[in-house]
Amino acid sequence: MSGFRLEKGGRIDRSRPLSFTFEGVSYEGYAGDTLGSALMANGVSMLGRSFKYHRPRGLLAAGLDEPNAIMQLEDGAQARPNVKATGVELYDGLRAAPVNAWPSLSFDLLSVNSMFARFIPAAFYYKTFMWPHWSLFEPAIRRAAGLGVSPEASDEDIYDKRYAACDVLVVGGGPAGLQAAQAASRSGARVMLVDHDAQWGGSLMASNRHVGQDPADDWIGRVVEELRAAPETQLLNRTLAFGFYDHGLVGLCERLTDHLPLAERSGPRLRFWKVRAKSVILATGAIERPLVFPNNDRPGVMLAGAGATYAARYAAAPGRRAVFAVNNDSGYESAAVLRRLGVDIAAIADARPGLSAKGAQMAASGINVFTASTITNVRGGKKVRAAELHKLDDDGQAVKGSAALVECDTVLTSGGWSPVVHLYSQAGGKLRFDEQIQAFVPRECGQHVLCVGAAGGEFSLTQGLADAARAGAAAARDCGFDAADIEPATVDGEAFGNIRPIWQVDVSGLAGERGKAWLDFQNDVTSDDVALAIRENFKSVEHVKRYTTLGMASDQGKTSNVNGIGVMEGALGKPMAQVGTTTFRPPYDPIEIGAFAGRRVGENIAPLRPLAAEDAHEMLGARFEDYGGWRRPAFYAQDGEDEHAAVRREALAVRDGVGLFEASPLGKIEVAGADAREFLNRFYVNNMATLKPQRCRYGVMLDENGVVLDDGVLACLGPNRYLAGTTSGHAALIADNMDEWLQCEWPDLDVVVQEVTTNWAVMNVNGPRARDLLRKFDCSIDLAAEAFPHMHVREGEIEGVACRIQRVSFSGELSYEVAVPWGFGASFWAALMDAGREFGVSPFGVETLMALRVEKGFLHVGADTDGMTLPQDIGFGGVISRKAADFIGRRSTMRPDSLRDDRRQFVGLECLDGSAKPLTVGAHVLLPESAPPALTQGWVTSSVYSAALGKPVALGMVANGRERIGEEVKIWDRGVSRRARISAPGAYDPEGKRLHV
Amino acid sequence: MLQISCPYCGARAEIEFRCGGQAHLERPGPHDQVSDRQWAEYLFYRDNPKGVSLERWVHRFGCRQWFNVARSTLTHEILAVYGMGEQPPQLEGTKR
Ligand SMILES: [Zn+2]
């Protein structure tokens, strides 16, 4: 234990102590702490085990760049796996556990992996566990190398979504972001300023700096107050801008309740914002890079800036005696912060040959500064005991001689800073390598986006504020606002200096075993792994990433990418600018899937549409199913009936008496206009030019590939008025298609198309007593057989309500489809049930209707047809040959493949084995003597038990089937064969006598 | 997600629209005078430009009107929006 709580200072509220547990042990922190800072203040330095080798790990960073301290929070429905301790605001009662240790952090059985470290290089698993198959080993390896545990209880939280638009979106609430937002906001532009932190100020927070004459905290407070007061400006803290998409769209995730104790949480947990900004200013800062040296992953080895942040912001010191290893001036400032707060600075190793001004200042104040030196090893296992420092040779590639062995309990390193260009790059921005700061910086972008401050590679705060002020005003002006330039303040304590890159130091000349140097802490990738990948000819930066896992997973290489590219530079002998970066992809930091799902979970993923008389169906015992997005009765179960019994009973009721079926979902599209007839004739396979008013015609529609797309009844309501019927699931699609053809291909036609499916509720009165039942109603339409024959349509009134009646039948019985305005649907159903009592009317469901239509051999598009079915395959060859005009898809029905005579055709299949069991849908049709494996002749597409015929009936698609009617075939399903005979479709009432009554 | 300016409704998010593929395809006909090759080209052969793509879109969850869009496949920038039946504006890199 090396960390401790400083006596005073920090932005924590010592009057609000909070208790929490880590690995079951209770600790105390304060409001304002993160889980990471509270653990450090309690002296807990080991926070996790590494992914592959299970090495002990502690905090490296203080922000979202933290790769090691991955936590599992809470349990049950509240469980949150893989959370960075540095991004979790402490709350009372918080329970945290490490994710990758078993049985416990200090005694991890799998840490034996680290003893075999030399045997687990990059791609080791892929190379070793090849035989007989990787999948045999994968589960065990995944368990050993897993991260958090997926919650088993279902997530009870609510997730919110919001759309927003603004003129200027500023990402990052540090000095540059605040300054840019202020400049834009004063113009009156709509400004949004977002930061993932709970507090504003970024790197200025709790710093010792002054902005102008004022302490930094005062300046932050003043700017935030001004922005809060600006009516068109919105500030969102605890809000991460995680993705930059096309046309100025930025994804934000606002954490609304994660900082509260569980019992105090209410309302949505996260809010996912989709913000469309005219101009975006990225003030996302920079991430410090660790130095790469042996055992640089030991708990207690941290980034210098993070050490200063813990001490200054959270009053949590990383240790009592620190050694610094730096290659630029920023580390000196961090050392100064820690020293001021009482931490002993044992030594500073600076890779640069001469003393910088900062270095000289530090040396003059009595600190031991080693120039041209760096750290080459850390002594100690679970905590730091001492640092080895060595002199660097002249080109900075190797070490020579012995410099010092310095006792310490923490090591703080700074290998330079990398601008956070992730969002810029996601926006399509190109990067360039900046020699001055040895990092990738923004170059150009097609979108309206600008990086300011450290994110733009400008590490001087004074210059950064000036740039930000200018950028903010310019962004507002671009959006048409009259923005005045504001005079930015200067900031004291400038520090960065020049940098001496030492991506990897060759320590092979030193005596003794030193171990690995870590590049990517989260994925356990060492500099040796990168070297190995390159030796094996993985030379593209993207390939090295995949082969070694450098920069993968939730970390995405925040602290490791540039170091990795630096190591590649050495190994490939080509400059970093040419090595390039891997692609930056959203999200910048992991976002819970719930945020993206929002309210679209459970039954709201795809809400089902209710029927007009849903309540009545419910009361009648309907078993509902999802049919094409509609919640419809499959059947109505009586007295414990199963599906088969219910369907049999309902089917017989229709055949023998009368049934009632709600057919409201049937697609209804009104087509009107002077050219409606011409248009429909081009749309259907059938000749619709001859369809007369008050008549209906069954028709088939194709797509341009000639494939059967849909079918239905077209009703002619008047000379220029039609009602096109579609299948229930296809109404919107067909209406869309009609619009597309009219607008894009045939704009000269005078036609209007309107889908009216839900304007009309449709009740299907079906069966020999259907007319008797309807005659109970006061109806303006003459229902007599000769006045209103089969395939006719009438418009009129029923009980004073407008209605349309079509005499069409999908059952083969006398059948009326009666449409009334949707709002009358429920009462009409009730009246039909009531009036039908004397005829023994039976409600029937979709499954019963399907049984009736299979008995009749009526085609069901999508069940009997598939994506290869052409109209001639379902018996429309004659219709086509009698029609002269072109129609959609016609040319495709004439291709050589369409004219093959062995195409699969729609036929009936009659069972010959005497069994009552229907054939299996999908079973193969084979030649009687063939034994599988054999070339299939086709398959069963629909199959039911026919109550009316007392035997199973089936339909299928069979090669050249119409020519083969009467031929015996074998129906084969997963090893079981049955005998059947090919027949014409339609086993029940093949002459159709029952229709014309 | 793109932001597309419907000529009738103004700027809206891409989720309100549906892309109908390459614009300015000409449907060959009449059907009995079209060769298999011509028909195949109409059905299946499409430009795959690196640069300006001319495509038709419909404001599906809006005014339901179709229109043409010139879009850069490199930057996703929308360079022009123009009506059905209109010729595309002269744009650098447009293949006609
Ligand atoms: Zn529109």
Side-chain angles (χ1 to χ4, degrees):
Chain A
M1 287 205 245
S2 47
F4 63 97
R5 180 74 78 188
L6 295 167
E7 295 283 316
K8 53 184 196 293
R11 282 193 164 203
I12 51 168
D13 183 352
R14 290 173 203 253
S15 70
R16 285 177 57 206
L18 307 170
S19 64
F20 69 101
T21 65
F22 176 63
E23 238 191 340
V25 181
S26 291
Y27 299 99
E28 211 164 78
Y30 294 113
D33 261 323
T34 64
L35 175 57
S37 70
L39 286 166
M40 175 181 282
N42 279 283
V44 183
S45 52
M46 204 172 121
L47 302 189
R49 288 277 179 174
S50 75
F51 184 67
K52 202 155 76 173
Y53 303 118
H54 289 252
R55 284 170 67 96
R57 291 283 168 81
L59 291 163
L60 178 76
L64 297 182
D65 45 340
E66 170 58 38
N68 292 327
I70 310 292
M71 299 288 158
Q72 180 98 9
L73 299 191
E74 309 301 345
D75 53 24
Q78 309 276 6
R80 288 178 61 199
N82 302 333
V83 179
K84 291 168 184 168
T86 51
V88 175
E89 286 179 65
L90 196 67
Y91 56 83
D92 202 41
L94 181 149
R95 287 168 300 165
V99 294
N100 205 16
W102 185 81
S104 77
L105 264 183
S106 53
F107 182 72
D108 182 328
L109 288 174
L110 292 163
S111 64
V112 291
N113 272 5
S114 66
M115 297 180 194
F116 302 117
R118 79 184 76 181
F119 301 119
I120 314 184
F124 169 81
Y125 295 116
Y126 304 114
K127 288 171 182 167
T128 310
F129 299 102
M130 289 283 287
W131 187 91
H133 198 272
W134 158 249
S135 62
L136 288 177
F137 305 100
E138 191 183 357
I141 291 170
R142 292 256 183 254
R143 247 195 321 279
L147 284 171
V149 183
S150 201
E152 282 179 13
S154 85
D155 190 348
E156 290 163 1
D157 284 312
I158 301 168
Y159 298 87
D160 211 4
K161 265 189 203 182
R162 194 172 283 183
Y163 288 82
C166 67
D167 296 308
V168 183
L169 170 66
V170 181
V171 179
L178 288 169
Q179 184 67 88
Q182 187 185 42
S185 170
R186 284 186 179 173
S187 73
R190 294 170 304 163
V191 176
M192 285 178 82
L193 173 65
V194 304
D195 197 303
H196 69 269
D197 206 309
Q199 301 186 33
W200 301 100
S203 65
L204 274 186
M205 249 187 277
S207 78
N208 209 24
R209 294 175 191 273
H210 287 75
V211 181
Q213 301 302 313
D214 306 322
D217 274 3
D218 293 358
W219 181 81
I220 296 166
R222 223 175 38 237
V223 177
V224 169
E225 200 179 324
E226 178 186 331
L227 292 172
R228 284 218 177 96
E232 296 294 334
T233 295
Q234 183 169 25
L235 279 78
L236 293 172
N237 62 339
R238 299 191 175 100
T239 303
L240 178 74
F242 62 82
F244 201 132
Y245 305 89
D246 293 311
H247 297 181
L249 185 79
V250 179
L252 313 177
C253 179
E254 182 182 11
R255 298 195 174 269
L256 297 160
T257 61
D258 279 356
H259 60 292
L260 297 171
L262 297 185
E264 289 174 27
R265 295 180 186 182
S266 67
R269 185 185 149 216
L270 305 180
R271 180 174 291 139
F272 171 27
W273 291 75
K274 298 182 191 181
V275 179
R276 188 80 67 172
K278 288 184 185 158
S279 190
V280 180
I281 294 175
L282 298 175
T284 42
I287 288 174
E288 195 165 22
R289 299 189 293 259
L291 289 177
V292 181
F293 58 91
N295 292 320
N296 61 340
D297 65 328
R298 289 301 183 204
V301 181
M302 297 183 63
L303 295 168
T309 298
Y310 280 112
R313 178 173 174 183
Y314 302 106
R320 291 184 160 77
R321 189 174 153 83
V323 164
F324 276 75
V326 305
N327 67 354
N328 68 88
D329 269 351
S330 72
Y332 287 106
E333 181 153 357
S334 299
V337 169
L338 285 172
R339 190 185 194 201
R340 175 167 54 82
L341 296 172
V343 175
D344 189 15
I345 310 298
I348 299 178
D350 189 333
R352 296 170 298 180
L355 271 180
S356 66
K358 283 269 171 191
Q361 211 179 326
M362 204 50 104
S365 70
I367 304 282
N368 212 356
V369 180
F370 297 86
T371 56
S373 300
T374 196
I375 183 168
T376 52
N377 198 10
V378 168
R379 302 253 178 111
K382 290 174 186 171
K383 61 182 187 177
V384 174
R385 291 204 319 270
E388 289 177 39
L389 308 178
H390 280 88
K391 280 280 177 208
L392 282 161
D393 66 9
D394 289 345
D395 56 9
Q397 296 297 305
V399 292
K400 56 183 185 185
S402 173
L405 177 66
V406 186
E407 282 189 27
C408 58
D409 60 0
T410 183
V411 169
L412 299 162
T413 77
S414 179
W417 295 76
S418 304
V420 177
V421 292
H422 299 62
L423 292 175
Y424 183 82
S425 190
Q426 290 167 18
K430 301 280 184 288
L431 307 177
R432 68 175 175 82
F433 187 74
D434 185 312
E435 296 289 341
Q436 182 73 35
I437 63 169
Q438 291 288 310
F440 291 92
V441 297
R443 179 160 62 87
E444 59 173 357
C445 184
Q447 298 208 44
H448 292 287
V449 55
L450 203 62
C451 294
V452 296
E458 178 52 68
F459 293 155
S460 151
L461 269 171
T462 298
Q463 191 57 46
L465 284 191
D467 293 349
R470 232 181 351 261
R477 276 194 290 270
D478 283 351
C479 300
F481 291 87
D482 190 13
D485 284 322
I486 60 175
E487 198 57 50
T490 57
V491 184
D492 61 356
E494 297 287 329
F496 184 75
N498 64 336
I499 177 170
R500 184 184 195 189
I502 42 165
W503 303 114
Q504 183 190 16
V505 178
D506 181 4
V507 294
S508 55
L510 299 175
E513 183 74 15
R514 273 195 160 60
K516 303 277 187 198
W518 306 85
L519 278 173
D520 182 330
F521 295 77
Q522 188 176 85
N523 297 294
D524 257 357
V525 181
T526 67
S527 55
D528 288 351
D529 292 325
V530 171
L532 175 73
I534 289 168
R535 278 205 306 282
E536 296 186 1
N537 211 29
F538 291 91
K539 291 185 173 172
S540 144
V541 63
E542 297 282 7
H543 292 159
V544 170
K545 171 177 175 174
R546 270 70 184 181
Y547 198 56
T548 64
T549 68
L550 174 77
M552 308 256 279
S554 71
D555 185 57
Q556 288 292 298
K558 291 183 181 67
T559 51
S560 62
N561 270 349
V562 176
N563 279 344
I565 293 162
V567 170
M568 288 185 70
E569 171 183 67
L572 287 168
K574 97 178 172 186
M576 290 174 74
Q578 282 175 37
V579 175
T581 66
T582 52
T583 306
F584 294 91
R585 292 195 179 86
Y588 174 73
D589 196 58
I591 305 295
E592 287 86 333
I593 291 289
F596 297 96
R599 311 274 174 154
R600 297 193 70 164
V601 291
E603 61 184 18
N604 289 334
I605 290 175
L608 292 178
R609 308 167 89 178
L611 296 182
E614 181 175 55
D615 292 347
H617 304 308
E618 202 97 56
M619 304 255 282
L620 288 163
R623 297 293 162 81
F624 286 94
E625 295 285 344
D626 170 4
Y627 292 97
W630 289 88
R631 186 169 179 265
R632 308 180 70 174
F635 56 91
Y636 300 78
Q638 285 181 1
D639 311 324
E641 278 176 327
D642 64 3
E643 175 173 348
H644 294 287
V647 167
R648 202 170 305 183
R649 174 180 50 74
E650 290 173 9
L652 287 174
V654 173
R655 295 269 179 244
D656 297 339
V658 60
L660 185 59
F661 175 77
E662 177 164 0
S664 303
L666 269 178
K668 303 178 251 320
I669 303 168
E670 284 191 29
V671 181
D675 297 315
R677 172 183 302 263
E678 170 63 23
F679 169 67
L680 291 164
N681 204 38
R682 296 182 192 179
F683 208 81
Y684 283 87
V685 170
N686 311 64
N687 184 357
M688 294 305 188
T690 54
L691 185 64
K692 293 183 169 55
Q694 299 206 316
R695 299 291 289 263
C696 298
R697 185 167 292 166
Y698 171 75
V700 168
M701 299 162 240
L702 313 181
D703 64 20
E704 275 285 59
N705 298 304
V707 172
V708 175
L709 182 62
D710 203 29
D711 66 348
V713 169
L714 180 69
C716 182
L717 302 173
N720 297 320
R721 271 180 69 223
Y722 293 83
L723 181 68
T726 73
T727 54
S728 304
H730 271 167
L733 174 85
I734 300 298
D736 283 356
N737 280 2
M738 286 181 168
D739 259 332
E740 181 171 7
W741 281 95
L742 281 169
Q743 291 179 40
C744 302
E745 200 61 41
W746 303 316
D748 53 312
L749 294 185
D750 176 13
V751 178
V752 174
V753 165
Q754 178 66 51
E755 194 208 329
V756 295
T757 302
T758 51
N759 293 44
W760 298 89
V762 179
M763 301 308 162
N764 175 213
V765 187
N766 204 323
R769 306 297 301 274
R771 186 182 292 119
D772 299 335
L773 198 166
L774 275 182
R775 277 187 166 149
K776 290 278 172 186
F777 289 83
D778 177 16
C779 184
S780 66
I781 298 164
D782 184 354
L783 299 173
E786 54 284 2
F788 189 175
H790 183 53
M791 294 308 272
H792 277 239
V793 60
R794 298 288 184 270
E795 292 177 283
E797 281 186 0
I798 189 160
E799 299 291 338
V801 171
C803 73
R804 282 174 181 170
I805 305 182
Q806 296 190 63
R807 233 196 106 175
V808 292
S809 179
F810 204 37
S811 66
E813 303 295 337
L814 172 67
S815 160
Y816 297 90
E817 287 178 358
V818 188
V820 294
W822 191 276
F824 289 100
S827 51
F828 187 42
W829 172 277
L832 285 164
M833 285 300 290
D834 217 29
R837 200 168 301 132
E838 66 180 275
F839 308 105
V841 68
S842 168
F844 65 101
V846 174
E847 293 307 317
T848 302
L849 184 67
M850 286 298 132
L852 294 168
R853 71 97 193 163
V854 174
E855 286 175 338
K856 282 294 295 178
F858 290 152
L859 179 90
H860 187 210
V861 171
D864 298 309
T865 70
D866 59 29
M868 294 188 292
T869 307
L870 301 181
Q872 51 263 51
D873 304 338
I874 55 167
F876 276 72
V879 169
I880 294 174
S881 63
R882 286 192 297 276
K883 182 170 174 174
D886 193 9
F887 53 83
I888 295 167
R890 175 159 203 169
R891 182 59 185 78
S892 290
T893 68
M894 299 155 58
R895 291 175 302 177
D897 184 70
S898 314
L899 302 171
R900 278 190 296 118
D901 57 11
D902 60 345
R903 291 189 60 87
R904 282 184 293 274
Q905 295 172 335
F906 182 57
V907 293
L909 291 165
E910 185 190 354
C911 264
L912 298 178
D913 59 9
S915 163
K917 192 171 170 260
L919 297 173
T920 308
V921 171
H924 285 276
V925 177
L926 303 176
L927 296 174
E929 66 279 4
S930 72
L935 196 61
T936 188
Q937 303 281 305
W939 40 79
V940 178
T941 57
S942 294
S943 174
V944 295
Y945 176 80
S946 166
L949 299 170
K951 62 176 186 179
V953 291
L955 302 167
M957 296 294 288
V958 179
N960 198 23
R962 283 195 296 273
E963 293 288 313
R964 296 167 62 186
I965 285 172
E967 201 178 299
E968 193 180 323
V969 288
K970 176 189 277 186
I971 306 295
W972 184 88
D973 173 41
R974 288 166 293 181
V976 179
S977 296
R978 298 179 64 181
R979 290 170 56 224
R981 186 187 290 127
I982 301 172
S983 62
Y988 182 82
D989 184 27
E991 298 85 24
K993 286 178 185 155
R994 302 176 66 87
L995 276 173
H996 302 278
V997 291
Chain B
M1 183 165 59
L2 307 180
Q3 188 173 44
I4 299 169
S5 284
C6 169
Y8 309 96
C9 308
R12 295 287 191 278
E14 184 183 341
I15 49 167
E16 294 186 14
F17 298 85
R18 183 168 74 76
C19 183
Q22 188 175 328
H24 306 294
L25 293 176
E26 273 179 40
R27 185 174 193 256
H31 61 280
D32 47 6
Q33 288 169 36
V34 179
S35 70
D36 285 342
R37 176 79 207 172
Q38 275 177 295
W39 191 248
E41 281 183 2
Y42 159 67
L43 282 184
F44 305 120
Y45 287 69
R46 293 293 181 269
D47 297 336
N48 186 17
K50 180 181 181 181
V52 181
S53 164
L54 303 175
E55 47 205 34
R56 72 188 193 197
W57 288 74
V58 61
H59 194 182
R60 175 66 182 76
F61 299 97
C63 62
R64 298 181 62 89
Q65 296 304 297
W66 283 86
F67 54 91
N68 291 311
V69 165
R71 180 180 64 90
S72 166
T73 58
L74 286 170
T75 64
H76 287 182
E77 192 185 349
I78 292 181
L79 307 161
V81 172
Y82 55 101
M84 290 310 304
E86 287 176 27
Q87 285 308 300
Q90 284 303 311
L91 294 164
E92 207 173 317
T94 311
K95 186 188 155 196
R96 287 296 299 143

